Amino acid sequence: MEISDEFLVDADSFYVGIDRLQYLSCRSCSRFTPFLVYLPPNDGSQHVVFGLQKDQLLFCPGCVPQRQHLLQMYPLLGESVLCDSALLAALQGFEYSNPFYRKYARTARTIVTVETRLGGELPADSFCMALDARFELVRRLFGGVHTLENWKYSGLQEIETVLAAKAAEIRQFYGESQLMKSPVRVEACPVEEEIREEGEVEPLVDVGSSKEECETLNATLQPYVAVDKRFNLTVLSSKSPYSCGICLLTEKDVLRFGEFVEKQQKKDIFRCHYFCLLTGTYIVQNGKETSGVLGFLVNDIYSSFKRYRQNKCCYCGQLSAAVVCVEPGCERSFHYICGVKNNCLTQFSGPNPSYCHEHAPNDHPECHSENQTCWICCEEIGPYNPVASFCSVCPPEHETGETEIGWYHRMCVQKFAFQAGYYFKCPNCFEMNEFTEYARMHGIFVPMRDASWEREKYAFKDIHLSKCSAEGCKVSGKKSKELVGCKACGGATMHMTCAGVNDPSEYVCADCMDATFIKLF
């Protein structure tokens, strides 16, 4: 259905209507653009690289998966224009957020596929041109076969059908391409690399040969780290090609930017950096802990887009800067990722306020020397930086009455917090409560979860033995359900007969028989 004149708007703003998916848009960042890249699935099967459904294979030029990921599906991709980074860059800059934006709403879409061939060369000075001039220039590089009217469709199924037909038309126009028929070399999963013996040959799988082989390959290349059933979330690998739905950036680092999470709601998929979600100035948390994305309702997240999508980052100049400095009178907006790189500070407490590089609080009692070593990794911290250098002040000692100042790399403290969880404490004096709150106020995110060593599979297997630990067991062959553990440590399991007790609560192992310790029970 053609877009009516009465709905057109002169200024671009983020559109939150429920029909936004009925228009041709990037399935990664949800933006609209006259130039779209469609990655057709092989022989009608699911996309074997990322496990994407057929209605999720449309990207804006800025969200096109990286070349190494595309090569997993198209080994001969070197012949394709999708490997031309200069061309992909020239196709960017025309993105907009409202499907009724008058400037581009009536403009036909140019669909680019792996078979696309240019009708000319891209001038080297194209980036110096005005945006409108560059638009006309790059559009003329594509033949009419790539043109698709920008209409409102009935839904994702119709869009899928139209795109598949357009891809077939493009393929036929350029002749039968080997890109769609080449076998795919199965590469190691980015999360858990498969260890192969030296000299072993990796198998080649014909993508279209059988459904079973496609499903096997699909599972092998899933960019997942884990699926959290409690929160109904998927934690994606740092190597996944998707961009964050909040900052629209693709860079990922769990320690610096938080886990990259995915939430699927019906046919809509939302992905973001966890810290982008926590620090977004206009993103409110109205749900319970297990609802939405860790308490942030997806509809609330989408509604917040109109508040910051047009904000330019004061560091990189790109749009969708969701974080605003809380210092009164300061109007700096920035991406959380850019803030981390430019000495901004977020206090992970309460509403998680953020400060720009100029207003980041600094209450360090002194500056450290250039050869100061980190008390965790024992390597030099380098020149003093009030944000990158983390300082802790321990309570006065009873004997000397003097306080002790500890210096650390910020990332060393953050890594310690990620690993320790509930057990996070000062590395020097081991104080927990005050130090945890102090760390949060100084930019350290302390997750409320068990320590990493307690979340490992079979972490407590060694203390929950399935056999009697008594020397010369008197009840050999009996079932393990008759075993009891020490009431103090839970280990050293024995049969009650071997332990010489009638009540399981009376059994204490030899290692815990210290009278002083037993008084606690």
Side-chain angles (χ1 to χ4, degrees):
M1 182 175 66
E2 188 176 356
I3 300 176
S4 176
D5 285 335
E6 61 180 306
F7 296 114
L8 298 182
V9 294
D10 295 323
D12 185 27
S13 60
F14 190 79
Y15 182 70
V16 295
I18 59 175
D19 59 342
R20 65 182 181 276
L21 292 179
Q22 293 179 244
Y23 301 91
L24 294 172
S25 63
C26 175
R27 293 300 181 241
S28 180
C29 68
S30 300
R31 291 182 294 178
F32 307 91
T33 175
F35 302 100
L36 289 164
V37 176
Y38 177 62
L39 301 178
N42 287 300
D43 297 335
S45 65
Q46 285 188 337
H47 196 292
V48 298
V49 177
F50 309 117
L52 298 175
Q53 301 295 327
K54 297 177 185 178
D55 55 15
Q56 300 168 356
L57 306 178
L58 197 61
F59 301 91
C60 68
C63 291
V64 173
Q66 298 177 2
R67 185 174 184 271
Q68 60 266 33
H69 297 293
L70 293 176
L71 281 171
Q72 294 174 354
M73 184 174 184
Y74 309 116
L76 302 181
L77 192 68
E79 304 174 7
S80 174
V81 296
L82 297 185
C83 292
D84 189 343
S85 57
L87 175 65
L88 291 178
L91 297 178
Q92 298 180 43
F94 311 103
E95 298 82 4
Y96 59 103
S97 301
N98 192 324
F100 304 110
Y101 182 38
R102 189 182 302 275
K103 185 173 183 178
Y104 295 120
R106 293 289 188 82
T107 303
R109 310 290 94 161
T110 297
I111 306 299
V112 183
T113 68
V114 290
E115 289 91 2
T116 296
R117 300 291 181 266
L118 297 182
E121 293 186 3
L122 180 69
D125 61 347
S126 60
F127 296 97
C128 302
M129 297 181 177
L131 198 64
D132 292 343
R134 175 153 58 92
F135 174 76
E136 294 298 331
L137 172 68
V138 294
R139 192 168 65 162
R140 287 196 295 267
L141 295 177
F142 300 93
V145 68
H146 293 278
T147 301
L148 185 63
E149 293 299 328
N150 185 35
W151 289 347
K152 180 178 180 179
Y153 296 90
S154 60
L156 293 175
Q157 186 173 1
E158 183 183 3
I159 291 178
E160 172 196 330
T161 303
V162 171
L163 288 174
K166 174 56 66 174
E169 182 184 353
I170 294 173
R171 189 178 308 120
Q172 184 179 8
F173 179 82
Y174 290 109
E176 196 67 25
S177 172
Q178 295 302 313
L179 288 171
M180 299 297 294
K181 289 191 170 183
S182 299
V184 178
R185 182 173 296 277
V186 181
E187 298 185 0
C189 176
V191 180
E192 297 181 4
E193 294 189 358
E194 183 178 356
I195 301 176
R196 299 185 181 275
E197 297 181 0
E198 186 176 356
E200 184 178 355
V201 179
E202 296 182 10
L204 290 178
V205 179
D206 185 352
V207 175
S209 58
S210 70
K211 181 179 179 181
E212 290 75 14
E213 288 175 338
C214 288
E215 291 177 350
T216 301
L217 181 59
N218 197 18
T220 303
L221 298 174
Q222 288 283 9
Y224 297 161
V225 170
V227 176
D228 194 321
K229 295 182 179 179
R230 179 188 176 195
F231 297 102
N232 195 23
L233 287 175
T234 301
V235 181
L236 301 182
S237 163
S238 59
K239 296 183 180 180
S240 63
Y242 310 113
S243 61
C244 172
I246 296 175
C247 68
L248 305 182
L249 303 178
T250 58
E251 187 175 353
K252 301 171 187 69
D253 187 320
V254 174
L255 277 180
R256 302 169 74 195
F257 317 135
E259 290 92 345
F260 194 71
V261 297
E262 175 184 276
K263 176 72 174 182
Q264 185 161 2
Q265 193 174 29
K266 296 182 180 179
K267 284 197 173 184
D268 196 6
I269 297 179
F270 179 76
R271 306 179 184 93
C272 70
H273 301 105
Y274 182 42
F275 290 174
C276 284
L277 188 63
L278 289 179
T279 60
T281 303
Y282 303 108
I283 305 176
V284 295
Q285 187 176 16
N286 290 325
K288 298 179 180 179
E289 185 183 26
T290 56
S291 60
V293 185
L294 300 167
F296 294 87
L297 303 180
V298 176
N299 288 337
D300 288 342
I301 297 174
Y302 283 139
S303 298
S304 70
F305 288 174
K306 59 186 177 183
R307 301 287 303 276
Y308 66 82
R309 272 293 196 237
Q310 302 305 312
N311 291 356
K312 284 190 176 182
C313 176
C314 63
Y315 299 112
C316 72
Q318 300 298 316
L319 296 176
S320 197
V323 186
V324 180
C325 178
V326 298
E327 183 70 18
C330 181
E331 299 180 354
R332 288 191 179 97
S333 297
F334 49 91
H335 303 117
Y336 179 81
I337 290 179
C338 296
V340 171
K341 297 177 180 178
N342 289 275
N343 295 322
C344 297
L345 182 71
T346 294
Q347 296 176 336
F348 289 101
S349 181
N352 303 316
S354 297
Y355 298 86
C356 67
H357 67 281
E358 183 178 340
H359 300 115
N362 179 15
D363 57 0
H364 293 171
E366 60 184 44
C367 302
H368 65 71
S369 61
E370 290 192 7
N371 58 356
Q372 172 69 49
T373 58
C374 171
W375 287 21
I376 293 180
C377 70
C378 298
E379 295 183 0
E380 289 189 3
I381 299 177
Y384 173 73
N385 183 313
V387 174
S389 302
F390 185 88
C391 168
S392 68
V393 181
C394 298
E397 296 184 1
H398 294 293
E399 297 179 358
T400 63
E402 297 180 356
T403 59
E404 190 169 11
I405 299 176
W407 290 101
Y408 315 88
H409 292 112
R410 172 171 298 279
M411 285 299 102
C412 287
V413 180
Q414 182 62 79
K415 186 175 182 180
F416 176 35
F418 262 61
Q419 293 177 338
Y422 293 128
Y423 303 99
F424 181 63
K425 56 189 175 183
C426 176
N428 181 39
C429 68
F430 308 124
E431 200 282 328
M432 296 182 68
N433 296 331
E434 292 185 7
F435 180 76
T436 298
E437 186 59 28
Y438 172 85
R440 286 173 174 157
M441 295 300 291
H442 289 76
I444 302 299
F445 177 76
V446 184
M448 300 303 293
R449 64 189 181 200
D450 288 327
S452 60
W453 54 85
E454 292 190 352
R455 289 182 282 117
E456 294 177 357
K457 194 174 183 180
Y458 307 124
F460 301 100
K461 184 178 180 180
D462 56 337
I463 65 171
H464 293 293
L465 301 178
S466 58
K467 60 181 180 180
C468 181
S469 61
E471 295 183 5
C473 175
K474 305 173 184 178
V475 202
S476 59
K478 293 289 184 178
K479 294 182 179 180
S480 60
K481 66 180 181 180
E482 298 179 4
L483 296 172
V484 294
C486 170
K487 72 173 183 179
C489 69
T493 50
M494 284 190 186
H495 296 105
M496 287 196 295
T497 304
C498 298
V501 297
N502 296 321
D503 186 347
S505 63
E506 297 177 355
Y507 168 54
V508 180
C509 70
D511 293 335
C512 297
M513 284 301 293
D514 178 9
T516 304
F517 181 78
I518 288 301
K519 288 180 181 179
L520 298 175
F521 296 88

